Amino acid sequence: SVSFTSKILSYKKEGIPPSAYMELGRFLQRADRERDQVINLDKTQPSAAILLLKDYYRDIRQIPRVIPMQDRLPLEIEVTWSDLDNESNIQTFNLFYECACVLFNLSTALAKQAVDYLQYASEDAINNARDCYAQAANIITVILKEYYISY
């Protein structure tokens, strides 16, 4: 499992006041817990998955603010994602790849939520499904614009 906490805290200890260091530690521990939950998502519960993926994405987007751009590579935080069949893994030291994977999974959870809405033949259900599909499409656009070149 990925541990942002141990890698970043050991690297970033110098020059940080103790209270800020402790706050950083709590933030990174939360990101570690969220990643563990993201990796083990219940794909049959898209609503819960959507909330968790949004929270985790929000938190990992903060990590580059803690670490200057030129300092990211020495941290050697390896992230791993599996393909759909869990037959092969992709491993990289690129945090942008992590962000792109989280967003991709968020878009698929939104698409699954849309399919679930379409089980009901009501105008509200169709509107909710349309909104979920629109959000999923927008997320794919974000991946292409912000992360495609990064990895």
Side-chain angles (χ1 to χ4, degrees):
S1 176
V2 172
S3 174
F4 297 117
T5 306
S6 61
K7 293 285 187 174
I8 293 173
L9 287 181
S10 64
Y11 174 78
K12 200 66 177 156
K13 189 169 188 172
E14 296 175 13
I16 295 181
S19 61
Y21 185 77
M22 289 180 63
E23 184 178 330
L24 174 62
R26 286 190 296 271
F27 165 75
L28 294 170
Q29 288 170 350
R30 184 178 71 222
D32 286 342
R33 284 190 306 274
E34 287 171 342
R35 187 172 202 283
D36 287 342
Q37 292 172 333
V38 163
I39 296 301
N40 297 305
L41 278 176
D42 181 356
K43 293 171 180 57
T44 64
Q45 300 294 321
S47 296
I50 290 165
L51 293 174
L52 179 60
L53 288 160
K54 284 180 178 181
D55 287 347
Y56 180 56
Y57 180 71
R58 180 201 62 229
D59 285 347
I60 61 172
R61 290 280 296 168
Q62 298 301 315
I63 292 174
R65 292 187 172 114
V66 174
I67 305 158
M69 183 68 139
Q70 67 273 15
D71 293 345
R72 277 193 222 146
L73 291 177
L75 291 174
E76 297 183 358
I77 298 172
E78 184 176 44
V79 295
T80 303
W81 284 86
S82 300
D83 65 10
L84 291 174
D85 299 325
N86 289 323
E87 292 183 8
S88 64
N89 294 325
I90 297 173
Q91 297 175 322
T92 181
F93 292 100
N94 191 331
L95 189 62
F96 292 124
Y97 181 75
E98 177 82 348
C99 290
C101 288
V102 171
L103 285 178
F104 179 80
N105 281 279
L106 178 55
S107 71
T108 60
L110 285 161
K112 169 73 171 107
Q113 182 75 49
V115 169
D116 290 352
Y117 280 131
L118 291 174
Q119 293 178 24
Y120 308 100
S122 72
E123 187 175 336
D124 284 345
I126 292 169
N127 289 335
N128 289 336
R130 181 199 63 222
D131 292 345
C132 285
Y133 281 131
Q135 289 177 51
N138 287 335
I139 289 170
I140 297 298
T141 301
V142 169
I143 293 170
L144 292 172
K145 287 182 177 180
E146 293 188 27
Y147 298 109
Y148 181 70
I149 297 172
S150 297
Y151 58 90

